[in-house]
Amino acid sequence: MRKKILVTGALGQIGTELVMKLHDVYGTDHVIATDIRNSENEVVQSGPFEILDVTDGKRMMELAKKYQVNTIVHLAALLSAKAESNPLLAWNLNMGGLVNALETARELNCQLFTPSSIGAFGPTTPKNKTPQITIQRPTTMYGVNKVSGELLCDYYYEKFGVDTRGVRFPGLISYAAEPGGGTTDYAVDIYYSAIERGSYTSYIQKGTYMDMMYMPDALNAIVALMEADPAKLKHRNAFNITAMSFEPEEIAAEIRKHIPTFTISYNVDPVRQAIADSWPNSLDATAAQEEWGFKAEYDLEKMTVDMLGKLRAKLLAG
Ligand code: VAH
């Protein structure tokens, strides 16, 4: 049956580009974008849009019934750094919103996609080639939310048969919507700063490796997993996926191939550095590759060419 999809957090970093991709794949009138705020951007202008605070379960159910959706893509969440500055708000929003999405999916027999993150790992997790199944003792509220979310999605599948699916996203890099409140956001900010100032002061220390992925690969992964044959999914939720792992000096060197005078300096933010230090250096994505054919197209070199080109056009357009 053709998907009719309710997207929460549609104006966020992932949602802004995912909604446009889902329009292409499933048709504009089969995608209902929602967010807690309104906007003039193309997500709101180009197709069905509703205001939704995901902590309001009644309203979520009402919208899901109104549009007769059969799929929910639940993206609304507070990211790692913001969650550390307001842990209780993060718990209420990240967990309350997810429970509402799971309950709506259960009651209306919807498929549910919601992302986890490399933030679901902690300092005692094996850091290199982090396995699909391993120790998960995160030391951030965001990580606690992500591990709890992974377990909740497994529970709703096992107990109620809800078709839950998800991936552990690495840091996502995009030119369309600036990220907000994440730890990996430096890898987006650096491109803007390279074009606008020819230099960047990183809040993450040199030598700090984190998994990263260019947004087109993330969007393809969401659609591929949602469309995957359920009989082949052994892990279902929280698949490790990644495209590259780099540290600030390496992305700076790649940018310097295009802007030779580009310089990077450091003013480390202890909060976000501590979060980054607690996360893996690189993930093992074998399960995703074997169970639903995950494959990333962009490495650091290819991403940098595309990112600088698209950002120059965007910043020039003003
Ligand atoms: C964050 N960008 O930094 C998000 C993501 C893997 C990191 O979850 O919080």
Side-chain angles (χ1 to χ4, degrees):
M1 176 174 44
R2 194 160 156 201
K3 287 192 180 305
K4 187 92 180 273
I5 307 171
L6 179 82
V7 180
T8 73
L11 297 178
Q13 186 197 20
I14 301 173
T16 299
E17 295 191 66
L18 179 65
V19 167
M20 304 319 290
K21 179 165 184 77
L22 295 178
H23 283 172
D24 292 346
V25 176
Y26 299 105
T28 302
D29 59 351
H30 278 67
V31 184
I32 295 82
T34 72
D35 206 296
I36 195 166
R37 59 189 169 87
N38 213 321
S39 158
E40 292 303 310
N41 80 8
E42 65 175 338
V43 166
V44 178
Q45 305 297 330
S46 59
F49 179 83
E50 296 276 2
I51 296 290
L52 172 63
D53 173 346
V54 293
T55 60
D56 180 348
K58 196 162 158 294
R59 174 74 175 148
M60 189 186 291
M61 186 69 79
E62 192 182 276
L63 288 174
K65 286 178 177 170
K66 173 183 172 185
Y67 289 95
Q68 297 176 312
V69 302
N70 54 33
T71 304
I72 297 172
V73 174
H74 179 58
L75 303 173
L78 220 52
L79 295 183
S80 58
K82 262 202 189 136
E84 280 313 289
S85 63
N86 200 331
L88 209 51
L89 171 66
W91 176 266
N92 292 332
L93 168 56
N94 293 348
M95 302 318 299
L98 179 58
V99 166
N100 289 335
L102 284 163
E103 277 298 291
T104 304
R106 181 180 64 79
E107 201 161 312
L108 303 182
N109 193 25
C110 297
Q111 181 188 69
L112 173 70
F113 174 93
T114 194
S116 181
S117 156
I118 58 173
F121 298 118
T124 53
T125 303
K127 281 218 170 288
N128 299 310
K129 286 286 169 222
T130 301
Q132 179 64 43
I133 305 285
T134 186
I135 300 162
Q136 290 183 260
R137 306 288 293 181
T139 50
T140 64
M141 173 52 84
Y142 180 70
V144 169
N145 297 158
K146 288 303 179 186
V147 175
S148 309
E150 291 181 12
L151 298 175
L152 261 180
C153 289
D154 283 347
Y155 179 82
Y156 268 74
Y157 170 67
E158 296 296 341
K159 178 95 175 172
F160 304 117
V162 176
D163 183 3
T164 55
R165 304 185 187 195
V167 297
R168 289 176 185 136
F169 274 134
L172 298 181
I173 295 163
S174 62
Y175 61 85
E178 291 189 47
T183 298
T184 58
D185 299 352
Y186 91 89
V188 178
D189 303 340
I190 193 169
Y191 286 108
Y192 280 86
S193 194
I195 292 170
E196 290 171 329
R197 282 180 290 283
S199 64
Y200 179 64
T201 301
S202 173
Y203 59 77
I204 293 293
Q205 185 58 275
K206 68 169 74 174
T208 308
Y209 281 88
M210 287 188 273
D211 282 287
M212 299 283 181
M213 181 179 286
Y214 198 30
M215 189 60 79
D217 282 331
L219 304 183
N220 288 333
I222 293 173
V223 174
L225 179 52
M226 288 203 301
E227 293 296 339
D229 174 0
K232 294 204 177 107
L233 300 181
K234 293 195 222 80
H235 292 86
R236 262 193 175 278
N237 291 298
F239 282 96
N240 285 357
I241 60 170
T242 185
M244 56 193 105
S245 170
F246 56 73
E247 54 102 352
E249 288 291 322
E250 291 172 345
I251 188 171
E254 203 55 44
I255 290 171
R256 225 171 273 126
K257 289 180 186 171
H258 306 273
I259 307 172
T261 56
F262 174 72
T263 58
I264 185 169
S265 57
Y266 295 89
N267 178 15
V268 176
D269 167 7
V271 172
R272 286 183 284 187
Q273 186 61 42
I275 294 173
D277 288 343
S278 73
W279 290 352
N281 296 327
S282 62
L283 293 188
D284 174 356
T286 306
Q289 289 153 2
E290 288 176 350
E291 297 177 35
W292 48 278
F294 166 69
K295 188 175 175 309
E297 303 298 326
Y298 286 85
D299 60 10
L300 179 56
E301 184 180 4
K302 191 175 170 187
M303 172 177 71
T304 300
V305 171
D306 195 66
M307 193 62 183
L308 289 175
K310 298 277 189 6
L311 265 187
R312 280 195 178 104
K314 176 182 169 184
L315 296 172
L316 217 60

